[in-house]
Amino acid sequence: MTMKRFFKESAMLGTICLLCTTIFCFSCKGKDGSKTNETSETENVETISLDTINVKEYSDSVYLVEYHMECFKSNTPLCNYINAQITSFITNGKANGNNVRESVQQVAKSEIEKVKENAMELDLADAVYNDPLFYIIKKGAFEKDCADSVWAYTTKVEDFMGGAHGSYQINTYNFSKTSGKLIELSQVLNMDKSEEIIELLTTQLIKDMNCTTVEQLMEETALLTLSDMYVSNDFHLGKNGITFRYGQYSIGPYSAGITEITLSYASLKNYMY
């Protein structure tokens, strides 16, 4: 969902009553969306029973808070360990227990109170908002495209709490299927050769943007205008390569959005452990 704020001069609103509805729904799904049986914790994530936790509260067009978060339903030490980590990631460290449902509900409630406070401080009498003025939307799901030994989990956060524009952030976390530990990039690539990897990233970005030189890339896309290329620690270990992600304001202005560069394992073979 893309949130836009539209302001229309209209009749006076008078007093806005924040009527809130909270919906908590819990469901399990497999690869095709149907219920699945719990299986060995070392099997692929599509065959392990999952919980999808949905939390939603809104007040007409004033505010919206939504959470959509996948987690393991399987109650094994490995799954509980990963659940605790993804809970910490999606709640910015505010919760880290393996009871994802309770943790997400608790943090969502605190964020609901925060957006309510922001809404109450505004003078809303002179405008009508077609979409929620304040919003926090957080999503977390397991990736289907993963290296054989990895579970990759991606979080997406979209919010607006005032200012010139909202923000949008995506992060991927790669977990070992055997230990459940978070995989660091330095465990995958020889970072002593980072300069050579940077050259690969720059060349691939130029190609992806249909440019021929760095100068053309900067002029036409504004990428690499805020920062030189670097090896991003936000990465996704896919089946055929590693995708490096660069967030807003990292290598380009806000208008450049989020940039992703994928390097094949074949191109990285001289730098991998």
Side-chain angles (χ1 to χ4, degrees):
M1 176 187 302
T2 302
M3 293 296 166
K4 298 180 179 179
R5 295 183 302 148
F6 298 91
F7 297 87
K8 293 182 178 180
E9 293 184 1
S10 184
M12 299 293 286
L13 290 181
T15 302
I16 290 184
C17 180
L18 301 180
L19 300 176
C20 309
T21 303
T22 304
I23 304 170
F24 298 97
C25 28
F26 310 95
S27 62
C28 306
K29 68 176 184 179
K31 186 174 182 180
D32 59 357
S34 61
K35 291 186 177 181
T36 61
N37 295 324
E38 293 186 15
T39 59
S40 169
E41 61 193 42
T42 58
E43 292 186 24
N44 204 337
V45 67
E46 288 95 333
T47 63
I48 293 183
S49 184
L50 298 179
D51 248 353
T52 300
I53 301 172
N54 298 316
V55 179
K56 181 176 181 180
E57 179 160 333
Y58 61 94
S59 175
D60 296 331
S61 298
V62 182
Y63 72 85
L64 168 70
V65 175
E66 281 191 84
Y67 272 77
H68 305 282
M69 183 176 177
E70 281 187 354
C71 63
F72 286 125
K73 184 181 180 184
S74 306
N75 188 26
T76 65
L78 179 62
C79 290
N80 286 339
Y81 181 39
I82 294 176
N83 277 349
Q85 293 179 82
I86 62 179
T87 302
S88 179
F89 296 143
I90 205 166
T91 61
N92 296 322
K94 297 176 183 177
N96 56 14
N98 58 37
N99 191 326
V100 183
R101 185 178 304 177
E102 290 184 2
S103 299
V104 170
Q105 289 177 349
Q106 180 180 358
V107 173
K109 287 179 180 178
S110 67
E111 294 191 333
I112 289 168
E113 292 305 314
K114 181 168 62 175
V115 296
K116 281 183 180 180
E117 290 177 4
N118 279 26
M120 293 297 291
E121 291 176 359
L122 286 184
D123 179 6
L124 301 175
D126 295 330
V128 173
Y129 304 94
N130 292 339
D131 289 314
L133 179 60
F134 298 110
Y135 56 87
I136 300 173
I137 303 171
K138 295 189 177 183
K139 300 179 180 180
F142 287 97
E143 295 282 355
K144 300 300 186 290
D145 174 23
C146 298
D148 291 340
S149 59
V150 172
W151 280 317
Y153 192 89
T154 297
T155 61
K156 300 179 181 181
V157 180
E158 185 177 1
D159 61 27
F160 179 79
M161 297 296 289
H165 51 68
S167 66
Y168 188 63
Q169 183 176 352
I170 305 177
N171 295 102
T172 297
Y173 308 93
N174 304 274
F175 300 100
S176 165
K177 283 188 177 181
T178 54
S179 68
K181 291 183 177 180
L182 189 67
I183 300 171
E184 303 291 342
L185 188 61
S186 59
Q187 297 173 280
V188 180
L189 297 177
N190 180 359
M191 297 309 295
D192 290 337
K193 298 185 177 181
S194 61
E195 291 301 320
E196 296 175 42
I197 300 173
I198 287 172
E199 288 186 18
L200 291 176
L201 287 165
T202 304
T203 300
Q204 187 62 50
L205 179 60
I206 291 173
K207 180 180 178 181
D208 291 345
M209 295 295 124
N210 296 315
C211 297
T212 57
T213 65
V214 172
E215 291 74 20
Q216 182 187 7
L217 177 75
M218 295 171 67
E219 181 178 351
E220 294 186 3
T221 70
L223 292 171
L224 300 184
T225 57
L226 295 185
S227 168
D228 294 333
M229 180 60 73
Y230 61 93
V231 183
S232 176
N233 283 319
D234 184 9
F235 66 98
H236 170 207
L237 297 172
K239 292 184 183 296
N240 301 312
I242 304 177
T243 297
F244 299 86
R245 185 178 293 113
Y246 300 84
Q248 295 168 332
Y249 295 115
S250 57
I251 59 174
Y254 176 84
S255 59
I258 294 173
T259 303
E260 295 184 345
I261 308 171
T262 299
L263 298 179
S264 68
Y265 289 125
S267 68
L268 291 167
K269 63 181 180 180
N270 294 331
Y271 315 108
M272 297 187 68
Y273 289 120

